[in-house]
Amino acid sequence: MAVFTPLTDPQVAEFLSRFDAGSLVSVEGVPAGTENSTFFVTTDRRELVLTLFEQGEHEELPFFVDLLDYLDEHRLPVPGPLHDRDGVALHTLADKPALLFPRLPGKHPKAPNLAQCRELGDALGRMHAVSRHFPGHRPNPRDLHWLLPMHHKVLVYLSPEDQALMKDEVETYQGFFGDSPDLPQGALHGDLFRDNTLFDGDRLGGLIDFYNGCTGDLLFDLAIVINDWATEPDGRLDPARHDALLKAYQTRRPLTAAEREAWPMMLRLTALRYWLSRLLVVYVDPPAHDLTPHDPDQFRTVLKARLEHGALPLPEGDA
């Protein structure tokens, strides 16, 4: 979230008039973020979030609207977009695609505790259980099919050791996942880091920023979560947070035998996915705005820890 396109009060007031959401009281730009312009909007009836989409594939926005509508209808803690009086959610404001959302309670957990891990695991398990039936389709833009060509773009910037590490890993994934193991499919969040959740104390207020949402291996989504939520600064997994999250998840959606077999490899693949994507931002495709990119070495550390220490035993779900 950030502000790259400023808005005036009259612009926002006119935009709000299309919705049954009340009259504008105040609008405040949100400074943090990387891609889109975001504003907190207060009306005489409710608190809202207004997002202007600055970059990315705008033709894919209807997919995100449909996914959020679907998850909201199934009572998942997501910000279902507001629809205007004609039933339309996606509009244009300041020549940019725009969506209006309810403002969910809470803040990002910097150091999630066990109760928060259980809450997140439960919500993600519920989401994956219902998302298997989501009718929309958007191929995972950061899966093995992306890794194969994209990793060549950063090799020249790496040490010989890291070049060998990355090439060996991609070749290993190709051998393992190239056989197309039968992994359950569904709609994914695609980027469910701590800063894409909101907690009010130990209560989950919401899952936000679905703009990496796609359809694909549910296990891919779960591995991203574990590599962030249950990982120490040295890259090693924290057993307590790992087990709390995965037990709660499996209460809602038990992992299949194929998923359990693929789990250690998926943890490695998703670690390399973020190492690579962050390297691309630093060396190949810097952000359009003057923002500090994330440190690629964080996920190099995670990957090396997964290789050295392996995955922890997978717990069963709570009864």
Side-chain angles (χ1 to χ4, degrees):
M1 297 188 291
V3 175
F4 307 112
T5 300
L7 295 174
T8 65
D9 284 9
Q11 281 178 299
V12 177
E14 191 281 328
F15 183 78
L16 281 173
S17 69
R18 309 173 198 178
F19 299 83
D20 186 19
S23 301
L24 179 65
V25 172
S26 66
V27 57
E28 173 192 357
V30 181
T34 58
E35 294 182 355
N36 302 314
S37 292
T38 304
F39 305 84
F40 290 150
V41 175
T42 301
T43 77
D44 56 1
R45 288 166 50 186
R46 61 191 304 186
E47 301 285 331
L48 301 166
V49 176
L50 172 62
T51 298
L52 299 185
F53 295 89
E54 301 284 351
Q55 51 189 317
E57 303 297 330
H58 292 162
E59 64 270 18
E60 295 182 336
L61 289 174
F63 171 88
F64 304 129
V65 172
D66 289 346
L67 176 57
L68 286 167
D69 279 343
Y70 177 87
L71 296 176
D72 187 40
E73 289 165 4
H74 286 80
R75 300 181 179 275
L76 270 300
V78 304
L82 272 67
H83 294 246
D84 69 10
R85 294 181 180 87
D86 296 321
V88 177
L90 187 59
H91 289 267
T92 299
L93 178 58
D95 297 321
K96 304 285 173 65
L99 287 171
L100 195 61
F101 302 96
R103 185 173 175 182
L104 301 180
K107 58 185 180 180
H108 311 315
K110 293 183 178 179
N113 60 35
L114 297 186
Q116 291 168 336
C117 287
R118 282 190 286 269
E119 278 273 300
L120 191 277
D122 179 79
L124 186 62
R126 286 192 291 129
M127 186 188 115
H128 283 175
V130 303
S131 82
R132 297 196 66 182
H133 308 289
F134 174 64
H137 181 67
R138 179 185 183 236
N140 187 341
R142 294 291 184 268
D143 65 3
L144 180 60
H145 298 293
W146 173 81
L147 291 176
L148 287 172
M150 296 305 288
H151 82 282
H152 293 289
K153 295 188 176 186
V154 302
L155 293 177
V156 67
Y157 303 104
L158 302 181
S159 68
E161 176 190 355
D162 283 350
Q163 288 182 29
L165 171 62
M166 186 171 285
K167 288 191 288 189
D168 288 349
E169 282 296 289
V170 171
E171 185 176 331
T172 299
Y173 309 153
Q174 195 172 12
F176 185 89
F177 292 104
D179 295 335
S180 298
D182 185 20
L183 300 177
Q185 305 289 294
L188 320 180
H189 181 283
D191 195 40
L192 196 52
F193 280 59
R194 284 167 269 183
D195 60 4
N196 283 332
T197 67
L198 297 170
F199 276 83
D200 185 6
D202 290 341
R203 179 182 173 274
L204 177 63
L207 312 176
I208 61 173
D209 287 0
F210 274 76
Y211 307 120
N212 286 280
C214 57
T215 50
D217 298 331
L218 298 175
L219 199 68
F220 184 92
D221 224 12
L222 185 58
I224 288 172
V225 168
I226 290 297
N227 276 338
D228 179 59
W229 284 72
T231 296
E232 298 287 1
D234 65 0
R236 298 182 68 160
L237 289 164
D238 175 78
R241 280 180 282 148
H242 172 276
D243 286 4
L245 202 154
L246 286 169
K247 283 181 179 180
Y249 178 92
Q250 290 194 89
T251 299
R252 300 292 186 172
R253 193 191 78 83
L255 298 178
T256 66
E259 287 179 307
R260 287 175 166 271
E261 181 182 354
W263 179 241
M265 200 67 71
M266 191 66 85
L267 286 173
R268 287 162 54 181
L269 185 149
T270 51
L272 190 139
R273 170 258 187 269
Y274 281 98
W275 183 29
L276 175 56
S277 63
R278 293 179 177 188
L279 285 168
L280 287 166
V281 170
V282 170
Y283 294 113
V284 179
D285 188 21
H289 307 287
D290 185 19
L291 296 165
T292 303
H294 292 294
D295 181 10
D297 283 346
Q298 176 188 358
F299 277 94
R300 176 185 177 275
T301 298
V302 173
L303 175 60
K304 290 182 73 73
R306 299 293 171 271
L307 285 165
E308 181 176 354
H309 305 290
L312 296 176
L314 281 165
E316 301 294 338
D318 287 332

